[in-house]
Structures are given as structure tokens and as C-alpha cells.
Amino acid sequence: MAINKIGVLGAGTMGAGIAQVCVEAGYTVVLVDIEQSMVDQGLKGIFKNWDKAVSKGKKTEEDVGKFKGLLTSATDNSNFKDCDIVIEAIIENIDIKKKVMKGLDELCKADTILATNTSALSITEIAASTNRPDKVVGMHFFNPVTAMKLVEVIPGAETSEAVVNTVVELSNNIRKEPVPVQESPGFIVNRVLIPYINEAAILYQEGAASAEEIDKAMKLGANMPMGPLALADLIGIDVCLMIMNYFWNEFGDSKYRPALSLKQKERAGHLGRKTGKGFFDYN
């Protein structure tokens, strides 16, 4: 399956990053979101990254001109009609993803691959909302997309081997390291990472140590580049909680019970860096 034009749905942090790395690899990309302000914000971040790369001598003005010529944007999904693959990077809500995938299935050409950037949800369930479950696949990027090398490639129950191979090849072409993963809640990274963050949040709620002390201990004692609670703030406490709730519902195992402190932070609107406050204060 040849990939020439890529659609990216969602111009937030993840979608904009995916669009940027695809353009830099020479692909024609259309970036779409529901509001022009969201599209503009995504493009602003991409252009800022390119300006910074030019100022540091990592890219030339000619490079940036070429990139901009490959990148278009819109607020209408009809712009995906001629794409060879559409990668959705929208809110981590399975009902919304299923609705969006159903719409893309009806809109896109018959051989278009539909990829989801879900960080934990069932590819099989998302694919079942379409009439092309053999062409639906998980393509899980990591934040920040421009720096993080990993892409987890996850087939659903009916995803064809050809689609998986095409997405692995695409991942290599955009200078990422694809790791194929059989479908399981959270895949590899979040299956290990989010319960680790949750356990740190339980220590915090028990008063075993402050957020600063917990993170310091893990950085110095386990050589982690970032502490678990600062990482929760970076990911988004709401996202961490959503994934733990998903694990809890899928497995029914008490080891996946979400920390009360995560629930309290979400109820207070303290979601981490994106709101200015989480386990740490960024204001």
C-alpha cells in the first residue's frame, strides 16, 4: 500500500506533532480540526518549531519553505477524501472516537487506512464502528512527537497484515521506531507507566511524602529523568485517570483501582501543566 497523502485529525499537541514529522519526511499532509482557532494554534506551534530549528542551524529557510508547501489545513473532514491514511489524534473518549471513525469510513476512499492515536483503548472496538475493520489500526505516538522515537503499532482483531506492514513502514519513513504490539489495554508503555504513576499518587494521598520528595526519590533512586507526579502533570491528570479507570473496567483487578488523589485533582480542575496546576504549581 503506497502512502503519499496523510490526513491528521486533531490539531492539538499530538496532532500538530504528527503533522510536523510527516511533513518533514516529505509527505503531503492536511491537518484538520473542528475550529479554526484550534487549527491556527496547531500551525503556530509547528511554525515556531521550524523557526527555532532555523535559528539553531538545524534547518534552512529553504527546508521550511518546502515543508510549508506540503502542509495544508482545514476545518472540514471532506479534505480527507483523497488521503491514503488518516491518523486521528482527538480526545481520548471511545464513544467520540467510534463516531469519528464511522464518519471517516463513510467519507474516505475504500483503501484508505484509518489509524487511531489512542493511548490505551480497544482498536477492535473502534474498528467495529466502521465497514473496514481490516484497515483500522492503532498508531500510538508519544509526547512530544517531534522528539520521542517510539510508535506502538497495534492491530485490532481484524486488521490485515498488509495494513500493519504499511504502518510500520510509514513509521520508519518518518524516522520513528515502530514496535508492533498485540492488542491489550494500554499496550506496552501505558500498561506499565500509568499504574506506576498511580502508585506514586497513592503514596502522595497517604502522606508518605510530598510530591517533591516522591519525585526526587524516583529520580535519584531509579535514575528516572522525570518523577512520576511531574510526569502525570505533563501527560494530564485527567488522561492518567481515564486510563486507570479503563484498566479497572477492563481487567476488574484491584491493582488497577485509581488513586483518590487523581480523582480529587480532576474534580478540582487541577489537571497538570495544561491548567497551570496539578501535583505541582506552574503559575
Side-chain angles (χ1 to χ4, degrees):
M1 297 180 180
I3 301 295
N4 295 303
K5 184 174 182 180
I6 298 172
V8 179
L9 179 58
T13 300
M14 295 303 295
I18 293 167
Q20 180 179 333
V21 297
C22 290
V23 163
E24 289 177 1
Y27 288 100
T28 300
V29 177
V30 56
L31 178 63
V32 176
D33 211 317
I34 56 174
E35 298 286 345
Q36 187 62 48
S37 60
M38 296 176 182
V39 173
D40 291 343
Q41 188 65 27
L43 292 175
K44 180 181 178 182
I46 294 171
F47 296 160
K48 181 179 179 181
N49 288 341
W50 286 338
D51 288 343
K52 188 181 296 184
V54 170
S55 68
K56 291 182 177 180
K58 294 182 178 180
K59 289 182 173 59
T60 66
E61 293 286 358
E62 290 75 18
D63 291 333
V64 172
K66 179 183 175 183
F67 298 156
K68 288 182 177 179
L70 292 171
L71 178 63
T72 58
S73 63
T75 57
D76 188 340
N77 285 2
S78 64
N79 289 270
F80 294 138
K81 281 184 177 180
D82 60 344
C83 289
D84 302 304
I85 184 171
V86 178
I87 305 168
E88 70 81 6
I90 61 171
I91 187 171
E92 192 73 345
N93 177 298
I94 198 159
D95 292 328
I96 295 175
K97 286 185 184 293
K98 285 160 66 175
K99 182 179 179 181
V100 164
M101 281 294 193
K102 184 176 185 296
L104 290 173
D105 176 48
E106 294 168 354
L107 173 70
C108 293
K109 58 186 183 178
D111 59 349
T112 298
I113 295 171
L114 302 180
T116 172
N117 184 50
T118 179
S119 57
L121 304 176
S122 170
I123 308 303
T124 298
E125 184 174 350
I126 292 170
S129 65
T130 75
N131 291 313
R132 63 177 84 194
D134 59 315
K135 294 182 178 65
V136 178
V137 66
M139 197 175 183
H140 182 207
F141 291 81
F142 290 78
N143 185 31
V145 178
T146 53
M148 300 294 278
K149 290 293 186 183
L150 178 63
V151 174
E152 291 179 318
V153 179
I154 314 101
E158 296 187 52
T159 308
S160 73
E161 184 178 353
V163 164
V164 172
N165 291 340
T166 298
V167 169
V168 166
E169 182 180 2
L170 172 62
S171 301
N172 283 319
N173 289 346
I174 61 174
R175 303 178 185 89
K176 300 300 177 186
E177 294 283 348
V179 174
V181 186
Q182 292 305 307
E183 185 178 37
S184 178
F187 319 131
I188 295 175
V189 174
N190 282 336
R191 180 74 172 275
V192 175
L193 180 65
I194 301 301
Y196 157 70
I197 289 173
N198 191 65
E199 195 63 35
I202 291 172
L203 277 174
Y204 171 83
Q205 79 189 31
E206 291 175 349
S210 68
E212 290 83 358
E213 290 164 337
I214 291 168
D215 276 18
K216 181 179 181 180
M218 291 309 300
K219 287 191 288 184
L220 297 180
N223 204 27
M224 297 293 188
M226 177 181 286
L229 300 180
L231 184 55
D233 283 352
L234 178 63
I235 294 169
I237 288 171
D238 55 333
V239 175
C240 294
L241 179 59
M242 182 283 300
I243 295 173
M244 282 305 299
N245 278 323
Y246 186 69
F247 289 168
W248 171 243
N249 291 331
E250 288 287 297
F251 293 113
D253 189 324
S254 61
K255 73 179 181 179
Y256 296 115
R257 186 170 56 211
L260 180 59
S261 61
L262 293 178
K263 296 180 181 180
Q264 290 173 329
K265 295 289 185 186
E266 184 188 53
R267 289 165 183 160
H270 300 162
L271 306 182
R273 287 181 178 271
K274 59 188 172 185
T275 61
K277 190 174 184 181
F279 287 103
F280 299 93
D281 194 331
Y282 302 93
N283 290 313

